Amino acid sequence: MLQVSHEFGCLTLTPSSPFSLKRSCACGQAFRFQEEEGGYFGVVNGRGVRLTQNGNSLKVFPCAKEEILQFVRYFDMERDYGSIELQLERDERLRACLSSASGIRIFNQDPFETLISFIISANNNVKRIQKIVAGLCESVGELVTDDVYTYHRFPTPQALADLPEETLRELGAGYRAPFIKQSAKKVADGYDLAALRNLPLTEARKELCTFAGVGAKVADCVLLFSLGHANAFPMDVWMKRAVRELFFDGEEPTKRELEGAIEKLGPVSGILQQFVFHYARESGLGA
DNA sequence: ACCCAGGGTGACG
DNA sequence: CGTCACCATGGG
C-alpha cells in the first residue's frame, strides 16, 4: 500500500515497505541525481525536482497536482517491493544483500536518456559516467528556469545527433563518441524506443542490439531501467563476480547454468539483480 | 608502469 | 557458435 499526500506544492509518497532514497539514487541505475544538503536534486521527465527522505517517506518538490501520478510511476511506488524483499530474504544466497540494499526502487527513466547513458557506461566507471552525462546536458541540454530551480534537461536525440564527434570526445566520451552520435541519429530519425515496452524480452533485446555501442548488457539496462522489463538482467563485471560467489561456489558457470539460475529467479529477476549489484559494490566483492 | 571500470566491435576460427 | 585484441579516459 502507498500513501500519497500533496500540499503546498510538495508531494509525499509513503510506501508500506522499506524505502531508501540514498540507495535508490546511488545504486548505479541513474547518473543525474546529485547529492546536496540532506537530499538529492534530479531532473525527472524534464522537470527539476528536489528529493528528500523523511522517515519512510519520499518528498518531491515541486510537484503540481497533475504531476502526482507521473512521479508515483517514475519512482515505481505502485509496485510491491515488500514481496520482492521477501523473496530476497527467503533465498539463503541472496539474504545478505538486504543489509546494504534494502529500500531500493527501480526508477522508470526516459528511454533515450537511459540508452545514451549506458552506451557511455561501457568499460567505464560510475563517477566518469556521471561526469560525461553532466557535460552532455550542460553543453546541449535545454536550459530551463522555472519558478524554483534552474537546470539543464537531457539533450534531445537531434541535439546529440548534430553534435560533432570531436565535442563528444572533449567531454570525455572517448571511443564511444561515434556510438553516441549514431544511436542518437537513429532515434532522431524516428525509431520508437517506447514500442520496445510491448515486445517480449528476447525480441526487445535483439532490437536494441542493432544500435551502435549496444550489446546484451547495455540493452538489458535500458530495458530494466526505462522500458518496464523487470526480468531484464544486466550482467556486468560486478554481477559476474557476485553470481559466481553466491550461486556457483566460486566456480565459473557455463552459459546454460547461468541462464538457468537467472530464469529460476522469476519475473522480477532484474529488480533482484539491482539489489545484488548494489550489495556487491558496497561490500567490495572480489576486489 | 599496470590494472580496473555497469562492454562492444570486428576479425578470426 | 566462441574467443580475443583493441578501444579512450581517469583513478588507484
Side-chain angles (χ1 to χ4, degrees):
Chain A
M1 287 299 109
L2 174 70
Q3 286 186 7
V4 180
S5 76
H6 182 258
E7 52 180 1
F8 310 119
C10 181
L11 173 66
T12 301
L13 302 174
T14 311
S16 57
S17 50
F19 170 71
S20 168
L21 174 62
K22 183 183 177 68
R23 288 172 179 176
S24 299
C25 289
C27 72
Q29 62 173 321
F31 304 103
R32 283 197 78 200
F33 288 94
Q34 301 175 305
E35 194 167 11
E36 55 168 41
E37 40 193 87
Y40 288 82
F41 182 82
V43 180
V44 174
N45 297 327
R47 286 271 283 163
V49 288
R50 178 174 162 74
L51 309 174
T52 52
Q53 175 156 9
N54 192 335
N56 205 52
S57 299
L58 167 65
K59 289 179 175 291
V60 183
F61 178 83
C63 171
K65 255 185 216 169
E66 313 83 62
E67 298 175 306
I68 293 176
L69 184 57
Q70 163 191 333
F71 285 123
V72 168
R73 287 184 175 153
Y74 185 93
F75 295 107
D76 213 20
M77 288 294 181
E78 294 177 311
R79 190 188 298 275
D80 178 14
Y81 277 81
S83 69
I84 289 172
E85 296 209 3
L86 187 59
Q87 184 179 350
L88 289 166
E89 177 67 36
R90 283 175 174 161
D91 192 323
E92 293 177 7
R93 306 164 299 181
L94 301 178
R95 190 171 297 157
C97 299
L98 283 172
S99 60
S100 53
S102 176
I104 284 177
R105 292 293 180 283
I106 299 296
F107 298 164
N108 290 294
Q109 303 180 63
D110 173 73
F112 178 66
E113 174 175 347
T114 308
L115 173 67
I116 298 301
S117 297
F118 280 95
I119 285 174
I120 293 168
S121 80
N123 199 22
N124 213 336
N125 59 64
V126 173
K127 196 157 292 181
R128 274 196 80 240
I129 300 164
Q130 290 173 335
K131 185 186 167 192
I132 297 166
V133 171
L136 289 180
C137 295
E138 283 160 25
S139 297
V140 288
E142 180 188 359
L143 179 64
V144 179
T145 301
D146 57 30
D147 295 341
V148 193
Y149 302 117
T150 296
Y151 51 90
H152 288 272
R153 288 181 170 150
F154 192 84
T156 62
Q158 192 63 55
L160 286 185
D162 290 341
L163 208 55
E165 260 185 51
E166 187 186 337
T167 307
L168 290 167
R169 288 181 185 275
E170 285 168 3
L171 293 171
Y175 63 89
R176 310 169 193 84
F179 299 161
I180 296 170
K181 196 171 163 69
Q182 290 169 36
S183 291
K185 176 168 170 46
K186 186 162 178 167
V187 177
D189 287 345
Y191 189 97
D192 185 10
L193 285 172
L196 302 180
R197 191 176 275 279
N198 303 316
L199 288 185
L201 176 63
T202 310
E203 292 179 33
R205 184 185 290 144
K206 191 172 158 192
E207 272 296 313
L208 278 174
C209 286
T210 64
F211 282 82
V214 178
K217 189 271 170 183
V218 169
D220 277 5
C221 286
V222 177
L223 292 168
L224 176 63
F225 298 138
S226 74
L227 289 167
H229 286 268
N231 58 337
F233 198 99
M235 281 293 288
D236 73 319
V237 293
W238 291 98
M239 281 306 297
K240 281 176 186 167
R241 279 200 290 264
V243 169
R244 194 192 318 137
E245 295 305 317
L246 299 176
F247 285 69
F248 297 98
D249 199 31
E251 305 280 322
E252 192 67 31
T254 68
K255 203 164 250 186
R256 289 299 171 203
E257 290 173 328
L258 189 56
E259 286 174 4
I262 293 171
E263 186 73 30
K264 274 190 180 176
L265 292 176
V268 294
S269 58
I271 298 178
L272 303 176
Q273 171 274 156
Q274 195 58 20
F275 283 72
V276 178
F277 174 77
H278 189 60
Y279 162 77
R281 273 168 49 89
E282 290 284 297
S283 67
L285 203 69

